[in-house]
Amino acid sequence: CDVCHTEKQCAHQGKCDVERPIASQDYQDKVKALKSYQMTSQGAMSQLEYKARRTEVKVTNFIACHNLPLAVANQLTLVFADILPDSKIAKKSAAKTKTTCIPNGALKPYFLEETMKHLQKEPFFLSTEGSNDTEIQKVNPITVKLFDVNDIHHQFLDMGITVRRHSATAEVIFQGIDHCFQQYNIPWYNCVSFSLDNTSVNMSKHNSLMSRAKEKKKGIYICGCPCHIIHNTISKASAEFAQETGFDLDDFCTNASYWFAKSTKRKARWEEYCQFCDQGYKTIIDHVSTRWLSLEIATNRTVHLYRSLKSYFLSETGSQARFKHLKKAFLSPITEVYLMFFQHIFPLFTNLNKLLQREEPLIYFVYQEMQKFLKKILAEAIVQGGSDLSKVDYKNLDKQLDDAHIFIGSITRATLTKGMKDDDINEISVKFFAGVHVFYVKTCAYAMENLPLDDEVLHNAPCIDYTQCLHAHFTQVQYFVQRFDKVLPYSIPEEEEKLSDEFLDYQTMRADGQKEEFYCKDVIWGYLTTMKESVLTLLPRFPRLGKMAKLILSLPHSNTNAEQVFSLVCQNKTAFRDRLSLEGTLSSLLTVKVARPESEGSCYRFKPPEVVITASKKVTWEYNKKHQEVSI
C-alpha cells in the first residue's frame, strides 16, 4: 500500500481484504494528508498550479501519442480558453514551446529512467533496424523488450544515428549501440537476444552485428525476421510461376492500380462497366512490393471485380503499353484461373505472417506454426509428407500429386474445368499445372532453407506453454540454464534440484484437472510468479522457473517492433515537419509513443506521476535560459 507504506495480505478473503482497510477512517485521513503534502511540496506548488501542470502534461502526451504537430498546442490553448471561460486551468494551458519542452525534459527522462532500472537488473532483448535514406544521417532505432510484473513491454531506447560514408557498416552501427549501453550503464550480460533483419550487414558470419554481439555476449540469441522470409518465399515462388506460365502477378496488380490511379475519367468510365456487370464500384488496391500483405488484398479485390475489369479492358481502346499489357492478360481465358489460384494459396502465407507480427510473446509456438505451414504446403502438392520434413523428397515428380489431384482450390478447379469443357483453355492448362508444381517446389525449397527450423531455442521454448507442459521435458529447461548461465545461475547441483522440483510441481499443477486456459502466456506467468507455496510460509512457489519463463517470454519471434518504430518516424518526421531533431524532439516523441502510457488504449487515462508534473514546471525556464545563453 503506497499510502500506508506496508504490505497487505489478501490470501484470506481476497477483494474484501483490500476494501476493508481502504474504507477505514484512518486510511482516509492518510490519503487527505498525502494529497495536501503533494500540493504544497516540490517547490510550494499551489493546488491550482499543480492541476494546470498536470493538464499540460496530459495534453502533451495526447499530442505525442496521436502524432499531431506540436504547433497545434498554440491553437488548442485558445480553444480551451474559449470553450471553458470559467476555468482558471484552461487559461494556463501550454503553447508550442512548452509542449515541445515537456517531452524532452519531463516525459522522456521519466520513461527512460524506468526502463534503465529494469535493463540494468533484468534480462531483455534488443532490436534494431537501419533506414535506407534519412538525408545525411542514417537512423538505426534501438528498441528493447522486457518482462515487467505480468506484461511484456516494448520500449524505445535511442535513435542510433550514424553519419558519414561508413554509416552503414556493421562496425559503426555496433559502436553506436555499444555507446548507448555504456551511456546508460546497461550490462551486455543482461541482453539475452538481438533481433535483426536478414541483411548481410546484420547476419553474416563475419564482420556483422551478429558476430560483434556474440563477442560481447556468449550465447546471445540472434533472431532473424521470419516475416521477411515468409514474404520472400511467396515472392520467389511467384517469380518461378511467372517464368513457367508467363503470368507475373506483381506486374499485373501494379499495372491495374496504376492505370486507374489519378485519373477521374478512367475511374468514371470503369464505374459504368461495374454497373453494367451488376458489381458495385470499388477502388483497385495499390500493391507495394515492400508491403508484406498488400499483394493478397490487391489480388482479392481484382478477383472480386474481374468481370467488370475484363469488360472494361476488352471494350476500351488505348495505345499505352500498360493498357496493352492488361488487355492481353484479360483476353487470355486462363488469367482468371491464375488469380483464383493465388487467392486460394495466399492465406497460408499471410496467416503465418500476421501471426508473427503480433506483439504478445509467441516464441513458445513459432516452431509448431512453421512446421504446420510447411506440412500444409506439402499436403497440397505431395502424396506423403511424413513427420520429418527434411527427408521429404518434394522435388521428385513421382512423389508429387498429379494434375488431377494437386490442390489448387475448389473454386479454381471448378473454373478451370468449365473453361476446359468450353475448349477455351485446354492447351494453356498444361502451362498452368506446370506453374503450380514449380510454385510448390520453390516454396518448400526456399522456406526449408531459410526458416529457422533447426533453432534450438524454438525447439525448447514450448516448455513454458502452460497448455502443453505435460509434454515438456526437464532437458528443455536445462538448455536455457546452460545457455544463459549468467542470468539463470541454476547449474550447480543444489539449485538444479530445486529447479527440477519446481518444474515437476508446475507439471503436476497442470495435471490436477484444471480447466484449459487461453490467456496470453505473459499473463499466466505473471500470475504463477506471484503464487506462494502455502499461506503459512508465503514463499514464492516458482522463483527459479518463473525467472526462466520471463527470460523466454522476452525472446523475440520477429523483428516487427523495429519496423513499427520506422512507421512512427515516418508519421512524425514528415515533409512539413522536416526540422524535427532526430536526437532531440523526435527521439522524445518516439519514447513517449512507444512507452504507451495510455491505459487500455486511451491516452486520457494516463496519470502523470508526481516527478513528471514537477519536472514540467521548470523545463521551459531551462529551455529559455539555454537559448538565451546561445544567443548572447
Side-chain angles (χ1 to χ4, degrees), residues 442-496:
K442 187 63 178 179
T443 296
C444 294
Y446 190 88
M448 288 185 179
E449 181 181 353
N450 293 279
L451 285 175
L453 298 173
D454 298 327
D455 193 319
E456 292 184 345
V457 169
L458 299 183
H459 279 276
N460 292 286
C463 65
I464 64 164
D465 186 355
Y466 181 67
T467 61
Q468 303 293 328
C469 66
L470 293 177
H471 306 290
H473 302 283
F474 186 65
T475 54
Q476 295 174 302
V477 176
Q478 290 176 313
Y479 167 80
F480 289 102
V481 172
Q482 294 170 2
R483 178 158 188 165
F484 304 107
D485 54 336
K486 297 292 184 182
V487 183
L488 302 174
Y490 308 133
S491 57
I492 59 176
E494 295 81 1
E495 288 294 321
E496 185 173 358

Short mmCIF file of all heavy atoms in Angstrom, two decimals, residues 442-496:
data_model
loop_
_atom_site.label_atom_id
_atom_site.label_comp_id
_atom_site.label_asym_id
_atom_site.label_seq_id
_atom_site.Cartn_x
_atom_site.Cartn_y
_atom_site.Cartn_z
N LYS A 442 9.36 -24.49 -55.26
CA LYS A 442 10.16 -23.33 -54.84
C LYS A 442 9.79 -22.88 -53.43
O LYS A 442 10.66 -22.49 -52.64
CB LYS A 442 9.95 -22.17 -55.83
CG LYS A 442 10.86 -20.97 -55.57
CD LYS A 442 12.32 -21.36 -55.74
CE LYS A 442 13.24 -20.16 -55.53
NZ LYS A 442 14.66 -20.53 -55.68
N THR A 443 8.51 -22.95 -53.11
CA THR A 443 8.07 -22.59 -51.76
C THR A 443 8.74 -23.48 -50.72
O THR A 443 9.28 -23.00 -49.71
CB THR A 443 6.54 -22.72 -51.64
OG1 THR A 443 5.91 -21.78 -52.51
CG2 THR A 443 6.08 -22.45 -50.22
N CYS A 444 8.70 -24.77 -50.94
CA CYS A 444 9.32 -25.71 -49.99
C CYS A 444 10.83 -25.50 -49.91
O CYS A 444 11.40 -25.50 -48.81
CB CYS A 444 9.01 -27.15 -50.40
SG CYS A 444 7.27 -27.59 -50.28
N ALA A 445 11.46 -25.33 -51.06
CA ALA A 445 12.92 -25.20 -51.09
C ALA A 445 13.37 -23.94 -50.34
O ALA A 445 14.28 -24.00 -49.50
CB ALA A 445 13.40 -25.17 -52.54
N TYR A 446 12.75 -22.81 -50.63
CA TYR A 446 13.19 -21.56 -50.01
C TYR A 446 12.85 -21.54 -48.52
O TYR A 446 13.66 -21.10 -47.70
CB TYR A 446 12.54 -20.37 -50.71
CG TYR A 446 13.11 -19.04 -50.30
CD1 TYR A 446 14.22 -18.52 -50.95
CD2 TYR A 446 12.56 -18.32 -49.24
CE1 TYR A 446 14.77 -17.30 -50.56
CE2 TYR A 446 13.11 -17.11 -48.85
CZ TYR A 446 14.21 -16.59 -49.51
OH TYR A 446 14.75 -15.40 -49.12
N ALA A 447 11.66 -22.01 -48.17
CA ALA A 447 11.25 -21.99 -46.76
C ALA A 447 12.12 -22.91 -45.92
O ALA A 447 12.55 -22.55 -44.82
CB ALA A 447 9.78 -22.37 -46.64
N MET A 448 12.38 -24.11 -46.40
CA MET A 448 13.20 -25.06 -45.63
C MET A 448 14.64 -24.59 -45.50
O MET A 448 15.31 -24.88 -44.51
CB MET A 448 13.16 -26.44 -46.29
CG MET A 448 11.83 -27.15 -46.13
SD MET A 448 11.89 -28.83 -46.79
CE MET A 448 10.22 -29.39 -46.42
N GLU A 449 15.10 -23.85 -46.49
CA GLU A 449 16.48 -23.37 -46.44
C GLU A 449 16.64 -22.16 -45.52
O GLU A 449 17.69 -21.99 -44.89
CB GLU A 449 16.94 -22.99 -47.86
CG GLU A 449 18.37 -22.49 -47.93
CD GLU A 449 18.79 -22.11 -49.33
OE1 GLU A 449 18.01 -22.37 -50.28
OE2 GLU A 449 19.90 -21.56 -49.49
N ASN A 450 15.61 -21.33 -45.41
CA ASN A 450 15.76 -20.05 -44.71
C ASN A 450 15.01 -19.95 -43.38
O ASN A 450 15.44 -19.18 -42.52
CB ASN A 450 15.30 -18.91 -45.63
CG ASN A 450 16.20 -18.73 -46.84
OD1 ASN A 450 17.25 -18.12 -46.77
ND2 ASN A 450 15.79 -19.29 -47.96
N LEU A 451 13.91 -20.67 -43.21
CA LEU A 451 13.22 -20.61 -41.93
C LEU A 451 14.06 -21.28 -40.84
O LEU A 451 14.74 -22.29 -41.11
CB LEU A 451 11.86 -21.29 -42.02
CG LEU A 451 10.75 -20.53 -42.75
CD1 LEU A 451 9.49 -21.39 -42.85
CD2 LEU A 451 10.43 -19.22 -42.03
N PRO A 452 14.04 -20.78 -39.62
CA PRO A 452 14.87 -21.34 -38.54
C PRO A 452 14.31 -22.65 -37.98
O PRO A 452 13.95 -22.74 -36.79
CB PRO A 452 14.86 -20.22 -37.49
CG PRO A 452 13.55 -19.53 -37.69
CD PRO A 452 13.29 -19.58 -39.18
N LEU A 453 14.23 -23.66 -38.82
CA LEU A 453 13.65 -24.94 -38.40
C LEU A 453 14.56 -25.71 -37.46
O LEU A 453 14.09 -26.59 -36.72
CB LEU A 453 13.33 -25.79 -39.63
CG LEU A 453 12.31 -25.19 -40.61
CD1 LEU A 453 12.20 -26.03 -41.87
CD2 LEU A 453 10.94 -25.06 -39.95
N ASP A 454 15.86 -25.41 -37.47
CA ASP A 454 16.81 -26.11 -36.60
C ASP A 454 17.19 -25.28 -35.37
O ASP A 454 18.16 -25.61 -34.68
CB ASP A 454 18.08 -26.45 -37.40
CG ASP A 454 17.78 -27.41 -38.55
OD1 ASP A 454 16.88 -28.24 -38.40
OD2 ASP A 454 18.45 -27.29 -39.60
N ASP A 455 16.45 -24.22 -35.11
CA ASP A 455 16.77 -23.34 -33.99
C ASP A 455 16.46 -24.04 -32.68
O ASP A 455 15.32 -24.42 -32.39
CB ASP A 455 15.94 -22.05 -34.12
CG ASP A 455 16.43 -20.96 -33.19
OD1 ASP A 455 16.77 -21.28 -32.04
OD2 ASP A 455 16.48 -19.80 -33.62
N GLU A 456 17.49 -24.22 -31.83
CA GLU A 456 17.32 -24.94 -30.57
C GLU A 456 16.44 -24.16 -29.59
O GLU A 456 15.73 -24.76 -28.77
CB GLU A 456 18.68 -25.23 -29.95
CG GLU A 456 19.52 -26.24 -30.74
CD GLU A 456 20.82 -26.57 -30.04
OE1 GLU A 456 21.20 -25.82 -29.12
OE2 GLU A 456 21.46 -27.57 -30.41
N VAL A 457 16.49 -22.84 -29.65
CA VAL A 457 15.64 -22.03 -28.77
C VAL A 457 14.17 -22.29 -29.07
O VAL A 457 13.35 -22.48 -28.16
CB VAL A 457 15.97 -20.53 -28.92
CG1 VAL A 457 14.92 -19.68 -28.22
CG2 VAL A 457 17.35 -20.23 -28.34
N LEU A 458 13.83 -22.33 -30.36
CA LEU A 458 12.44 -22.59 -30.75
C LEU A 458 12.02 -24.01 -30.40
O LEU A 458 10.85 -24.25 -30.07
CB LEU A 458 12.27 -22.34 -32.25
CG LEU A 458 12.58 -20.93 -32.76
CD1 LEU A 458 12.30 -20.83 -34.25
CD2 LEU A 458 11.76 -19.90 -32.00
N HIS A 459 12.95 -24.95 -30.44
CA HIS A 459 12.64 -26.34 -30.09
C HIS A 459 12.34 -26.49 -28.59
O HIS A 459 11.48 -27.30 -28.21
CB HIS A 459 13.81 -27.25 -30.47
CG HIS A 459 13.83 -27.64 -31.92
ND1 HIS A 459 13.09 -28.68 -32.43
CD2 HIS A 459 14.49 -27.10 -32.97
CE1 HIS A 459 13.30 -28.78 -33.73
NE2 HIS A 459 14.15 -27.83 -34.08
N ASN A 460 13.05 -25.72 -27.76
CA ASN A 460 12.94 -25.90 -26.31
C ASN A 460 11.98 -24.93 -25.62
O ASN A 460 11.57 -25.16 -24.49
CB ASN A 460 14.33 -25.76 -25.67
CG ASN A 460 15.27 -26.90 -26.05
OD1 ASN A 460 15.12 -28.02 -25.57
ND2 ASN A 460 16.22 -26.61 -26.92
N ALA A 461 11.62 -23.83 -26.30
CA ALA A 461 10.75 -22.82 -25.70
C ALA A 461 9.36 -23.32 -25.31
O ALA A 461 8.78 -22.79 -24.37
CB ALA A 461 10.63 -21.62 -26.65
N PRO A 462 8.78 -24.35 -25.98
CA PRO A 462 7.44 -24.80 -25.58
C PRO A 462 7.32 -25.31 -24.14
O PRO A 462 6.21 -25.56 -23.68
CB PRO A 462 7.14 -25.93 -26.58
CG PRO A 462 7.92 -25.58 -27.79
CD PRO A 462 9.19 -24.97 -27.26
N CYS A 463 8.42 -25.44 -23.43
CA CYS A 463 8.34 -25.92 -22.05
C CYS A 463 7.59 -24.94 -21.15
O CYS A 463 7.11 -25.34 -20.08
CB CYS A 463 9.74 -26.19 -21.49
SG CYS A 463 10.78 -24.72 -21.32
N ILE A 464 7.46 -23.68 -21.55
CA ILE A 464 6.73 -22.71 -20.72
C ILE A 464 5.27 -22.58 -21.16
O ILE A 464 4.54 -21.77 -20.59
CB ILE A 464 7.40 -21.32 -20.78
CG1 ILE A 464 7.35 -20.76 -22.20
CG2 ILE A 464 8.81 -21.38 -20.25
CD1 ILE A 464 7.63 -19.28 -22.27
N ASP A 465 4.87 -23.34 -22.17
CA ASP A 465 3.48 -23.31 -22.61
C ASP A 465 2.63 -24.08 -21.61
O ASP A 465 2.70 -25.31 -21.52
CB ASP A 465 3.36 -23.91 -24.01
CG ASP A 465 1.96 -23.76 -24.59
OD1 ASP A 465 1.06 -23.29 -23.87
OD2 ASP A 465 1.76 -24.12 -25.76
N TYR A 466 1.83 -23.37 -20.86
CA TYR A 466 1.06 -23.98 -19.78
C TYR A 466 0.12 -25.06 -20.29
O TYR A 466 -0.13 -26.05 -19.61
CB TYR A 466 0.27 -22.87 -19.07
CG TYR A 466 -0.57 -23.35 -17.91
CD1 TYR A 466 0.02 -23.85 -16.76
CD2 TYR A 466 -1.96 -23.30 -17.97
CE1 TYR A 466 -0.74 -24.27 -15.69
CE2 TYR A 466 -2.74 -23.72 -16.90
CZ TYR A 466 -2.13 -24.21 -15.77
OH TYR A 466 -2.89 -24.64 -14.71
N THR A 467 -0.40 -24.90 -21.51
CA THR A 467 -1.34 -25.87 -22.05
C THR A 467 -0.65 -27.14 -22.54
O THR A 467 -1.31 -28.15 -22.76
CB THR A 467 -2.15 -25.26 -23.20
OG1 THR A 467 -1.26 -24.87 -24.25
CG2 THR A 467 -2.93 -24.05 -22.73
N GLN A 468 0.68 -27.08 -22.73
CA GLN A 468 1.41 -28.23 -23.26
C GLN A 468 2.49 -28.73 -22.31
O GLN A 468 3.36 -29.49 -22.72
CB GLN A 468 2.07 -27.85 -24.61
CG GLN A 468 1.11 -27.35 -25.67
CD GLN A 468 0.17 -28.44 -26.14
OE1 GLN A 468 0.52 -29.61 -26.18
NE2 GLN A 468 -1.05 -28.05 -26.51
N CYS A 469 2.46 -28.27 -21.06
CA CYS A 469 3.57 -28.57 -20.16
C CYS A 469 3.70 -30.07 -19.84
O CYS A 469 4.77 -30.54 -19.48
CB CYS A 469 3.43 -27.77 -18.87
SG CYS A 469 2.00 -28.22 -17.86
N LEU A 470 2.61 -30.83 -19.95
CA LEU A 470 2.69 -32.27 -19.67
C LEU A 470 3.55 -32.99 -20.69
O LEU A 470 4.04 -34.09 -20.44
CB LEU A 470 1.28 -32.87 -19.65
CG LEU A 470 0.38 -32.42 -18.49
CD1 LEU A 470 -1.00 -33.04 -18.63
CD2 LEU A 470 0.99 -32.78 -17.15
N HIS A 471 3.73 -32.39 -21.88
CA HIS A 471 4.56 -32.99 -22.92
C HIS A 471 5.99 -32.46 -22.89
O HIS A 471 6.81 -32.85 -23.72
CB HIS A 471 3.95 -32.72 -24.30
CG HIS A 471 2.52 -33.17 -24.42
ND1 HIS A 471 2.16 -34.50 -24.45
CD2 HIS A 471 1.36 -32.46 -24.51
CE1 HIS A 471 0.83 -34.58 -24.56
NE2 HIS A 471 0.33 -33.37 -24.59
N ALA A 472 6.28 -31.53 -21.97
CA ALA A 472 7.61 -30.94 -21.89
C ALA A 472 8.54 -31.84 -21.09
O ALA A 472 8.11 -32.73 -20.35
CB ALA A 472 7.53 -29.56 -21.25
N HIS A 473 9.83 -31.60 -21.26
CA HIS A 473 10.87 -32.36 -20.55
C HIS A 473 11.79 -31.40 -19.82
O HIS A 473 12.00 -30.26 -20.26
CB HIS A 473 11.68 -33.23 -21.51
CG HIS A 473 10.84 -34.20 -22.29
ND1 HIS A 473 10.35 -35.36 -21.75
CD2 HIS A 473 10.38 -34.15 -23.57
CE1 HIS A 473 9.65 -36.01 -22.66
NE2 HIS A 473 9.65 -35.30 -23.79
N PHE A 474 12.35 -31.88 -18.72
CA PHE A 474 13.24 -31.03 -17.94
C PHE A 474 14.51 -30.69 -18.72
O PHE A 474 15.16 -29.68 -18.44
CB PHE A 474 13.60 -31.71 -16.62
CG PHE A 474 14.41 -30.85 -15.70
CD1 PHE A 474 13.86 -29.69 -15.15
CD2 PHE A 474 15.72 -31.18 -15.38
CE1 PHE A 474 14.61 -28.87 -14.32
CE2 PHE A 474 16.47 -30.38 -14.55
CZ PHE A 474 15.91 -29.22 -14.01
N THR A 475 14.86 -31.49 -19.71
CA THR A 475 16.03 -31.18 -20.54
C THR A 475 15.84 -29.85 -21.28
O THR A 475 16.82 -29.16 -21.57
CB THR A 475 16.29 -32.30 -21.56
OG1 THR A 475 15.08 -32.54 -22.31
CG2 THR A 475 16.71 -33.58 -20.85
N GLN A 476 14.59 -29.50 -21.60
CA GLN A 476 14.33 -28.22 -22.24
C GLN A 476 14.63 -27.07 -21.29
O GLN A 476 15.16 -26.03 -21.70
CB GLN A 476 12.87 -28.15 -22.70
CG GLN A 476 12.52 -29.17 -23.80
CD GLN A 476 11.04 -29.16 -24.13
OE1 GLN A 476 10.21 -29.38 -23.26
NE2 GLN A 476 10.73 -28.91 -25.39
N VAL A 477 14.31 -27.24 -20.03
CA VAL A 477 14.62 -26.24 -19.02
C VAL A 477 16.14 -26.14 -18.85
O VAL A 477 16.70 -25.03 -18.76
CB VAL A 477 13.95 -26.59 -17.68
CG1 VAL A 477 14.36 -25.61 -16.59
CG2 VAL A 477 12.44 -26.62 -17.84
N GLN A 478 16.81 -27.28 -18.81
CA GLN A 478 18.27 -27.28 -18.64
C GLN A 478 18.97 -26.57 -19.79
O GLN A 478 20.02 -25.95 -19.61
CB GLN A 478 18.77 -28.73 -18.54
CG GLN A 478 18.38 -29.42 -17.25
CD GLN A 478 18.81 -30.89 -17.24
OE1 GLN A 478 18.58 -31.61 -18.22
NE2 GLN A 478 19.44 -31.30 -16.15
N TYR A 479 18.39 -26.65 -20.98
CA TYR A 479 19.00 -25.99 -22.14
C TYR A 479 19.13 -24.48 -21.89
O TYR A 479 20.19 -23.89 -22.15
CB TYR A 479 18.17 -26.23 -23.40
CG TYR A 479 18.56 -25.34 -24.56
CD1 TYR A 479 19.67 -25.63 -25.34
CD2 TYR A 479 17.83 -24.19 -24.85
CE1 TYR A 479 20.05 -24.81 -26.38
CE2 TYR A 479 18.19 -23.37 -25.89
CZ TYR A 479 19.30 -23.67 -26.66
OH TYR A 479 19.66 -22.85 -27.69
N PHE A 480 18.08 -23.85 -21.39
CA PHE A 480 18.12 -22.42 -21.16
C PHE A 480 19.03 -22.05 -19.99
O PHE A 480 19.68 -21.00 -20.01
CB PHE A 480 16.70 -21.89 -20.91
CG PHE A 480 15.84 -21.90 -22.14
CD1 PHE A 480 14.89 -22.89 -22.33
CD2 PHE A 480 15.99 -20.93 -23.12
CE1 PHE A 480 14.10 -22.91 -23.47
CE2 PHE A 480 15.21 -20.95 -24.26
CZ PHE A 480 14.26 -21.94 -24.44
N VAL A 481 19.11 -22.92 -18.98
CA VAL A 481 20.00 -22.67 -17.86
C VAL A 481 21.45 -22.69 -18.33
O VAL A 481 22.27 -21.86 -17.93
CB VAL A 481 19.77 -23.71 -16.75
CG1 VAL A 481 20.84 -23.58 -15.66
CG2 VAL A 481 18.38 -23.55 -16.15
N GLN A 482 21.77 -23.64 -19.21
CA GLN A 482 23.14 -23.74 -19.71
C GLN A 482 23.48 -22.61 -20.68
O GLN A 482 24.60 -22.10 -20.68
CB GLN A 482 23.33 -25.10 -20.40
CG GLN A 482 23.24 -26.28 -19.45
CD GLN A 482 23.19 -27.61 -20.18
OE1 GLN A 482 23.26 -27.66 -21.42
NE2 GLN A 482 23.04 -28.69 -19.44
N ARG A 483 22.51 -22.18 -21.49
CA ARG A 483 22.79 -21.15 -22.48
C ARG A 483 22.88 -19.76 -21.84
O ARG A 483 23.73 -18.95 -22.23
CB ARG A 483 21.71 -21.14 -23.56
CG ARG A 483 21.91 -20.06 -24.60
CD ARG A 483 21.21 -20.35 -25.89
NE ARG A 483 21.58 -19.38 -26.91
CZ ARG A 483 21.36 -19.53 -28.21
NH1 ARG A 483 20.79 -20.63 -28.66
NH2 ARG A 483 21.71 -18.59 -29.07
N PHE A 484 22.02 -19.49 -20.87
CA PHE A 484 22.01 -18.17 -20.22
C PHE A 484 22.40 -18.32 -18.76
O PHE A 484 21.65 -17.96 -17.85
CB PHE A 484 20.61 -17.54 -20.35
CG PHE A 484 20.12 -17.43 -21.77
CD1 PHE A 484 19.11 -18.27 -22.23
CD2 PHE A 484 20.66 -16.50 -22.64
CE1 PHE A 484 18.66 -18.18 -23.54
CE2 PHE A 484 20.21 -16.39 -23.95
CZ PHE A 484 19.20 -17.23 -24.40
N ASP A 485 23.58 -18.87 -18.53
CA ASP A 485 24.02 -19.21 -17.19
C ASP A 485 24.25 -17.98 -16.31
O ASP A 485 24.12 -18.06 -15.08
CB ASP A 485 25.30 -20.05 -17.24
CG ASP A 485 26.40 -19.37 -18.05
OD1 ASP A 485 26.06 -18.54 -18.91
OD2 ASP A 485 27.57 -19.66 -17.81
N LYS A 486 24.56 -16.82 -16.92
CA LYS A 486 24.77 -15.61 -16.12
C LYS A 486 23.46 -15.08 -15.55
O LYS A 486 23.41 -14.59 -14.42
CB LYS A 486 25.42 -14.52 -16.99
CG LYS A 486 26.81 -14.87 -17.50
CD LYS A 486 27.83 -14.93 -16.37
CE LYS A 486 29.22 -15.17 -16.92
NZ LYS A 486 30.22 -15.27 -15.84
N VAL A 487 22.40 -15.19 -16.33
CA VAL A 487 21.09 -14.70 -15.90
C VAL A 487 20.35 -15.75 -15.09
O VAL A 487 19.59 -15.42 -14.18
CB VAL A 487 20.26 -14.27 -17.13
CG1 VAL A 487 18.91 -13.69 -16.70
CG2 VAL A 487 21.02 -13.25 -17.96
N LEU A 488 20.58 -17.03 -15.42
CA LEU A 488 19.92 -18.15 -14.72
C LEU A 488 20.99 -19.00 -14.03
O LEU A 488 21.41 -20.04 -14.56
CB LEU A 488 19.13 -19.00 -15.72
CG LEU A 488 18.05 -18.27 -16.54
CD1 LEU A 488 17.47 -19.20 -17.59
CD2 LEU A 488 16.95 -17.74 -15.64
N PRO A 489 21.46 -18.59 -12.86
CA PRO A 489 22.55 -19.31 -12.17
C PRO A 489 22.06 -20.55 -11.42
O PRO A 489 22.19 -20.65 -10.21
CB PRO A 489 23.10 -18.26 -11.21
CG PRO A 489 21.91 -17.42 -10.88
CD PRO A 489 21.04 -17.40 -12.10
N TYR A 490 21.52 -21.51 -12.16
CA TYR A 490 20.95 -22.69 -11.53
C TYR A 490 21.64 -23.98 -12.00
O TYR A 490 21.04 -25.05 -11.94
CB TYR A 490 19.45 -22.78 -11.85
CG TYR A 490 18.67 -21.53 -11.56
CD1 TYR A 490 17.77 -21.01 -12.49
CD2 TYR A 490 18.84 -20.85 -10.36
CE1 TYR A 490 17.05 -19.86 -12.23
CE2 TYR A 490 18.13 -19.69 -10.08
CZ TYR A 490 17.24 -19.20 -11.03
OH TYR A 490 16.54 -18.05 -10.78
N SER A 491 22.87 -23.87 -12.46
CA SER A 491 23.55 -25.05 -12.98
C SER A 491 24.21 -25.88 -11.87
O SER A 491 24.53 -27.05 -12.10
CB SER A 491 24.61 -24.64 -14.01
OG SER A 491 25.53 -23.73 -13.43
N ILE A 492 24.43 -25.31 -10.68
CA ILE A 492 25.02 -26.09 -9.60
C ILE A 492 23.99 -27.12 -9.12
O ILE A 492 22.77 -26.88 -9.22
CB ILE A 492 25.49 -25.19 -8.44
CG1 ILE A 492 24.31 -24.37 -7.89
CG2 ILE A 492 26.59 -24.25 -8.91
CD1 ILE A 492 24.69 -23.53 -6.68
N PRO A 493 24.44 -28.27 -8.62
CA PRO A 493 23.51 -29.37 -8.28
C PRO A 493 22.37 -28.97 -7.36
O PRO A 493 21.23 -29.36 -7.58
CB PRO A 493 24.42 -30.41 -7.64
CG PRO A 493 25.78 -30.14 -8.22
CD PRO A 493 25.85 -28.67 -8.42
N GLU A 494 22.66 -28.17 -6.33
CA GLU A 494 21.61 -27.82 -5.38
C GLU A 494 20.50 -26.99 -6.03
O GLU A 494 19.30 -27.25 -5.86
CB GLU A 494 22.20 -27.04 -4.19
CG GLU A 494 23.17 -27.82 -3.34
CD GLU A 494 24.57 -27.87 -3.93
OE1 GLU A 494 24.77 -27.26 -5.01
OE2 GLU A 494 25.45 -28.53 -3.34
N GLU A 495 20.92 -26.01 -6.82
CA GLU A 495 19.94 -25.15 -7.49
C GLU A 495 19.20 -25.90 -8.58
O GLU A 495 17.99 -25.71 -8.78
CB GLU A 495 20.64 -23.92 -8.07
CG GLU A 495 21.12 -22.91 -7.04
CD GLU A 495 19.95 -22.26 -6.33
OE1 GLU A 495 18.93 -21.97 -6.98
OE2 GLU A 495 20.05 -22.05 -5.10
N GLU A 496 19.90 -26.76 -9.28
CA GLU A 496 19.26 -27.53 -10.36
C GLU A 496 18.20 -28.48 -9.79
O GLU A 496 17.14 -28.67 -10.40
CB GLU A 496 20.31 -28.32 -11.14
CG GLU A 496 19.71 -29.04 -12.35
CD GLU A 496 20.78 -29.68 -13.22
OE1 GLU A 496 21.98 -29.53 -12.91
OE2 GLU A 496 20.42 -30.33 -14.21
#
